[in-house]
Amino acid sequence: MSATRLLVLGVVRGFGRAHGYLVRAELLRWGAENWANIKWGSLYHALRKLAEEDLLIATEAGTPPGRVDYEITARGEAEFFRLLRLALREPAPRPDMLAAGLALLPALSRSEAIDLLRIRLRALESSRQEIPTGIPPHARELFGLWERTTDGDVAWTRQIISRLESGKYRMASEPGAVFGTAGAWPQVPA
């Protein structure tokens, strides 16, 4: 699973029609270079690959010459939601998928987001491991690190669920929702 794949689909979906520079500019605006593990040189490759997989439609824009605009397809929409749901419900060893899921969280209804985060919470709570016998004392530190990290993830997940339950953030299908609505983001000059 790729955070880049999820983010590219999400940004194209949000704008309705976007070119590579616009996708990159939007992700930079979000600070994605700090949390998404995106290689900017591979962004255009990701756009082309998603178009090859029929998840995006590529159209020559004409101005400037060589510019390609992309739109999400029905298959792309389904893949976007599959990846988004996966990113929110399944704890992953790398934080970039969760970060991408959070960046695109408003694309979901409030109830679905809460349900997915509750699944994540249960998975985190059940992931605690006992320290195996016979392991060298210094290697036991890894289990302490994992336990503290999991404790932090559990606490944070409970907090975001609580914020969502209290009405924080405007989610898809709520009055005035724009961010989670396909093609509803304001267009930015090229």
Side-chain angles (χ1 to χ4, degrees):
M1 184 163 59
S2 162
T4 301
R5 185 178 179 92
L6 173 57
L7 288 166
V8 168
L9 286 170
V11 171
V12 171
R13 178 183 183 272
F15 281 114
R17 184 178 185 101
H19 51 84
Y21 182 80
L22 181 58
V23 172
R24 183 179 190 276
E26 186 66 12
L27 291 173
L28 283 171
R29 192 172 72 85
W30 296 359
E33 71 276 11
N34 298 314
W35 50 262
N37 195 30
I38 291 179
K39 308 294 184 259
W40 297 116
S42 66
L43 188 64
Y44 289 93
H45 172 75
L47 285 162
R48 285 189 300 273
K49 178 84 171 139
L50 292 167
E52 285 173 15
E53 295 175 18
D54 195 33
L55 302 176
L56 296 177
I57 296 170
T59 308
E60 289 283 332
T63 307
R67 185 177 103 181
V68 177
D69 286 343
Y70 295 90
E71 294 177 69
I72 197 162
T73 65
R75 285 188 60 215
E77 184 92 0
E79 177 70 355
F80 165 73
F81 279 108
R82 184 188 73 78
L83 291 172
L84 178 56
R85 290 173 178 125
L86 198 59
L88 293 173
R89 78 171 173 254
E90 293 187 11
R94 289 184 13 207
D96 58 336
M97 274 309 293
L98 176 60
L102 291 173
L104 297 161
L105 180 72
L108 298 171
S109 70
R110 183 173 306 281
S111 62
E112 183 176 14
I114 291 168
D115 290 346
L116 291 166
L117 289 164
R118 284 186 178 140
I119 292 168
R120 173 187 170 72
L121 180 61
R122 286 192 298 275
L124 286 167
E125 289 172 335
S126 69
S127 70
R128 297 222 162 75
Q129 300 175 3
E130 289 192 29
I131 300 174
T133 56
I135 170 173
H138 65 278
R140 291 173 171 265
E141 294 297 332
L142 286 171
F143 289 88
L145 173 63
W146 293 330
E147 182 180 4
R148 297 304 179 287
T149 301
T150 300
D151 289 346
D153 283 350
V154 164
W156 174 84
T157 303
R158 286 183 180 143
Q159 290 169 354
I160 193 168
I161 289 169
S162 177
R163 286 191 291 276
L164 284 164
E165 288 174 335
S166 71
K168 189 88 171 169
Y169 316 117
R170 191 164 285 151
M171 304 296 286
S173 73
E174 294 178 352
V178 171
F179 185 87
T181 307
W185 295 358
Q187 287 293 322
V188 188

